[in-house]
Amino acid sequence: MVTADRLNTVQEYYFSKKLREVRGLVAQGKPIINMGIGSPDLAPSPLVLETLRDSITDAGAHQYQSYQGLPQLREAIADFYLQKFDVTVDPESEILPLMGSKEGIMHISMAFLNVGDEVLLPNPGYPTYASVTNLVGAVAVNYDLTAENGWFPDLEALTKKDLSKVKLMWISYPHMPTGATATLEQLKLLIDFAKKHEILLVNDNPYSFVLSSNPTSILSIDGAKECTLELNSLSKTFNMAGWRVGMVLGSAEHINAVLKVKSNMDSGMFYGIQKGAIAALQSGPEWFEELDNVYTKRRELMFQLADKLGCTYDKNAVGMFVWCKLPEGAEASEAFIDKVLYDKDIFIAPGTIFGSNGEGYIRFSLCVKEEKIKEAIERF
């Protein structure tokens, strides 16, 4: 049986392939410290776990659920956005819960892209944007992000290009993998750009509450819903990565288009997970303070490790990663991380997996316990 041609446009996800190699080293008895993956090692709050446990005996808990999620979940998302971002959304028509925001990338692409449509993708950026663009037969057009420009697109340069075929633009602020943030003024520039060129702007926003003193949503900009969708997730903020709870927010028209795709691809999120998500979204300030306390201690140690490697970094970046520039004269990113992996038994992500502009950079995950980071430091 010959596979579909679309599979020729994508490769196996880097981490899927590389982690097999890492597991092989572990099987050989190597004491590998994995600093490559942003998978929270902390647990959700006890209340979230209790809510999940208690919910499984509710009437109808094990039946198919609504494609749009429980009304209470949509209301909790709306309340969360109002309290945290000062954004008002209609829980009935402007919110769609997702089984993780990653599936939203596919749903949005299927809802709005035809074969041959062009899509603006950040370089560096989340690799899934490019993979999904290729899988749906659209054309990926990279736009450069550089440290010199604060990892923000040069909109003036983009405007000079032929954008007539561009239908969609992916952004991610706080930015993954660099941790750069965008001001409200910059987000407004992006919205004005999207409106001028009739482009649907999608902000992927799962890192606003990790080491960020000023959580921001692009939907807080007046008129944003006319041309913008925002993806968000409970994975990083509430340590619920494996639960697969995300959301997309925007105008009723745009959300309905995404729902048309989603309703043909799943049968609703498990009831207990939705109830746990509601409890998480209602967490008090102490939850966020404790989370930042843990990540702050880890980040300070990770800075020490980066110093050992001769790397430089932005101490003001947010999120659960430390994005580091390799020292002058160092090997290429992938050769550098392989040397560290085989010489020191430490796995770090190379910047190149996020695009060509990631060459010369590496990325550390903060999803590593303090004692392990200290052990890594001692290995140097």
Side-chain angles (χ1 to χ4, degrees):
M1 176 62 68
V2 179
T3 58
D5 290 344
R6 69 175 61 90
L7 289 187
N8 297 326
T9 69
V10 295
Q11 297 178 343
E12 182 183 7
Y13 194 46
Y14 173 86
F15 284 121
S16 173
K17 179 173 59 177
K18 194 66 177 180
L19 287 177
R20 277 202 304 274
E21 180 181 342
V22 171
R23 286 194 297 271
L25 293 172
V26 173
Q28 296 172 27
K30 299 289 186 180
I32 302 296
I33 299 175
N34 188 343
M35 296 182 165
I37 302 295
S39 179
D41 61 309
L42 304 170
S45 75
L47 178 60
V48 169
L49 298 177
E50 291 167 11
T51 302
L52 169 64
R53 182 196 63 205
D54 295 344
S55 69
I56 62 176
T57 57
D58 289 357
H62 305 286
Q63 295 178 331
Y64 290 125
Q65 300 298 313
S66 166
Y67 301 109
Q68 295 173 280
L70 293 171
Q72 301 97 309
L73 175 57
R74 284 182 273 114
E75 289 165 6
I77 294 169
D79 289 343
F80 183 84
Y81 257 71
L82 182 60
Q83 293 172 18
K84 303 298 184 183
F85 297 123
D86 196 25
V87 169
T88 300
V89 282
D90 182 353
E92 288 298 317
S93 61
E94 296 182 331
I95 296 171
L96 182 62
L98 303 169
M99 293 182 186
S101 60
K102 190 173 184 179
E103 79 155 11
I105 298 171
M106 175 62 82
H107 292 346
I108 290 168
S109 298
M110 293 183 71
F112 293 100
L113 295 174
N114 292 315
V115 173
D117 284 341
E118 294 184 354
V119 183
L120 291 173
L121 307 174
N123 177 16
Y126 187 34
T128 298
Y129 305 146
S131 301
V132 169
T133 296
N134 292 331
L135 285 171
V136 300
V139 179
V141 178
N142 288 325
Y143 63 87
D144 289 326
L145 300 178
T146 64
E148 293 72 24
N149 205 40
W151 306 105
F152 188 79
D154 185 341
L155 297 178
E156 185 176 343
L158 272 177
T159 299
K160 294 176 181 177
K161 296 185 177 183
D162 179 8
L163 302 175
S164 58
K165 293 183 180 179
V166 175
K167 189 82 172 288
L168 197 65
M169 179 178 184
W170 290 99
I171 62 172
S172 173
Y173 290 104
H175 182 244
M176 201 289 289
T178 70
T181 56
T183 64
L184 290 175
E185 291 75 16
Q186 288 176 315
L187 294 176
K188 187 177 188 309
L189 289 174
L190 283 165
I191 290 169
D192 292 342
F193 172 83
K195 287 182 178 179
K196 178 180 178 181
H197 298 284
E198 298 182 338
I199 295 170
L200 179 63
L201 189 65
V202 187
N203 186 41
D204 193 7
N205 186 19
Y207 295 101
S208 274
F209 294 94
V210 180
L211 297 174
S212 175
S213 60
N214 185 33
T216 303
S217 166
I218 196 170
L219 296 179
S220 64
I221 306 294
D222 287 343
K225 289 179 191 175
E226 298 170 23
C227 65
T228 308
L229 288 169
E230 180 159 277
L231 288 168
N232 215 319
S233 167
L234 274 62
S235 295
K236 310 317 197 251
T237 303
F238 298 106
N239 303 329
M240 296 168 67
W243 292 50
R244 309 312 303 136
V245 182
M247 64 208 76
V248 59
L249 304 93
S251 72
E253 179 183 4
H254 291 149
I255 293 298
N256 190 55
V258 179
L259 177 60
K260 285 183 180 179
V261 174
K262 177 177 169 56
S263 62
N264 282 288
M265 298 190 72
D266 66 56
S267 298
M269 191 187 308
F270 176 57
Y271 174 87
I273 287 178
Q274 294 189 69
K275 297 292 282 188
I278 293 167
L281 289 162
Q282 295 171 344
S283 298
E286 64 281 353
W287 168 259
F288 302 93
E289 292 167 5
E290 179 57 30
L291 191 69
D292 275 358
N293 183 48
V294 171
Y295 283 127
T296 295
K297 292 177 181 177
R298 292 180 177 186
R299 184 170 63 176
E300 288 301 318
L301 289 170
M302 206 66 84
F303 287 162
Q304 293 180 35
L305 180 58
D307 290 339
K308 289 272 189 179
L309 292 170
C311 295
T312 53
Y313 43 85
D314 178 6
K315 287 190 173 183
N316 296 317
V318 306
M320 56 172 48
F321 304 104
V322 175
W323 178 254
C324 295
K325 184 174 178 59
L326 293 175
E328 291 294 329
E331 305 101 317
S333 295
E334 292 198 26
F336 185 93
I337 70 105
D338 277 344
K339 183 177 180 181
V340 174
L341 175 61
Y342 283 91
D343 289 354
K344 303 296 183 181
D345 297 321
I346 300 169
F347 174 50
I348 309 164
T352 45
I353 67 176
F354 306 104
S356 60
N357 285 348
E359 183 56 83
Y361 292 87
I362 56 176
R363 191 195 72 173
F364 295 93
S365 167
L366 297 181
C367 301
V368 186
K369 297 191 184 308
E370 288 181 48
E371 56 267 27
K372 284 296 180 182
I373 306 175
K374 291 176 181 176
E375 181 181 338
I377 293 170
E378 290 172 357
R379 292 183 186 182
F380 290 92

